[in-house]
Amino acid sequence: MKTTLSIIKADTGSVGGHNKPSELMVKKAKEVVENGINKGLFTDGRVTYTGDDIALLMVHSKGVDHPDIHKFAWDTFLETTKIAKSQGLYGAGQDLLKDAFSGNVRGMGPGSAEIEIEERAAEPFIVFAGDKCGPGVFNYPLFEGFASPYHNAGLLLAPEMKAGFTFHIMDVNYTEADRVISLKVPEDYYDICVLLRDPNHYVIESVVENATGLVAAVASTARLHNIAGKYVGKDDPVAIVRSQKQFPSTGEILSPWALAHLTLGDNRGSHHVAVMPVKQNTIISYFDGPTIMSAAGYCVHEGKLTEAVDYFDQPFWDVVREKASLKTLDMRAQGFYGPTMAGMDELEYTGVVENLKRLNEKFVVRKHV
Ligand code: 13P
Ligand code: 13P
Ligand code: MG
Ligand code: MG
């Protein structure tokens, strides 16, 4: 029997500004997930948060996009929204952008990443969850972790990976349907770079191993401004990555995160800062940020999860966090000028458009003499 790993997340309200869900909300989500296990809807589940986003990890045998699993997640987020409203929390129900559930959370606000697998004898995987970023935050670390021998030494040392990987990349500006391109390393290396250099437009949806055809990674691709037509909060994506044996090792997948790469997402979703790798259940603070990413490792066996190993809760990452703070402060020192703030294509979902319209009328055109 196949096993499906489903991670579905949403921001349904927060204590303070966009900082963290309340303890009551998290407690409620944990109770509901426990009920889901007891009722046999799924075989195991976990609840965590990253900044103001609650993530539900569910293990089941129903396959991806299953309406029962998606409805369960939607209903759980309605429950946490109810609590957020009753406590007067900020942004209650923020990511629930549609009124009625229609079979699948995709296109409704919550982010999701799902993978159906044949469990290996040992099935290690990592769940990444970010806050104050878009799905393009995974472009750099996933591409490097799979395709670059700087990080994935297995490309040089493990014969199974020699045939490389296929990257399924989505054009997230195309909103009528899913517009996807499939490109392989090593053959299409430079073409992939051409797309991934623009992480607000092209994002990695999944990674498949060429030699085995096995799906190695999946990531959420939702862009909330495409659903709402205006800025309603940042996408705050999740991803699942399998590791070891025929795949890159866990350490190889984590390696690129040591750069603390720059990404868009901080404060009003409009600023570029460095991604800080953090432990699970970390809050948001400075400048409504910085952008944070947690990484939880598990093994799944016969539908049951082990305890989590909280990868960024390890002394090595202290210096990376410090580097991320310094890089972020460097960007912030330049305020709103040039590359520190989002480009117009992202800002056009915000109030800046009104300001420009108003100012546009005050321009005078002086003839060249
Ligand atoms: P194993 O040989 O135990 O899989 O370890 C290899 C490895 O992952 C080192 O990074
Ligand atoms: P969230 O998307 O995490 O709610 O953040 C919204 C924001 O604009 C913070 O400044
Ligand atoms: Mg929020
Ligand atoms: Mg958030």
Side-chain angles (χ1 to χ4, degrees), residues 95-116:
D95 285 357
L96 307 185
L97 301 178
K98 299 279 152 97
D99 291 331
F101 181 77
S102 59
N104 194 301
V105 296
R106 276 191 293 118
M108 301 190 71
S112 66
E114 297 183 282
I115 188 169
E116 189 179 41

Side-chain angles (χ1 to χ4, degrees), residues 70 127 152 168 199 256 279 291 307 311 320 341 352 364:
H70 281 242
V127 175
N152 182 3
H168 299 282
K279 57 183 175 180
T291 296
E307 74 266 28
Y311 286 123
V320 179
M341 213 186 225
V352 83
V364 288

Side-chain angles (χ1 to χ4, degrees), residues 25 69 80 83 123 134 154 157 177 222 249 312 318 331:
M25 290 166 72
I69 297 296
T80 54
I83 292 177
E123 186 56 64
L157 306 176
S249 73
F312 294 144
D318 291 343
M331 292 297 278

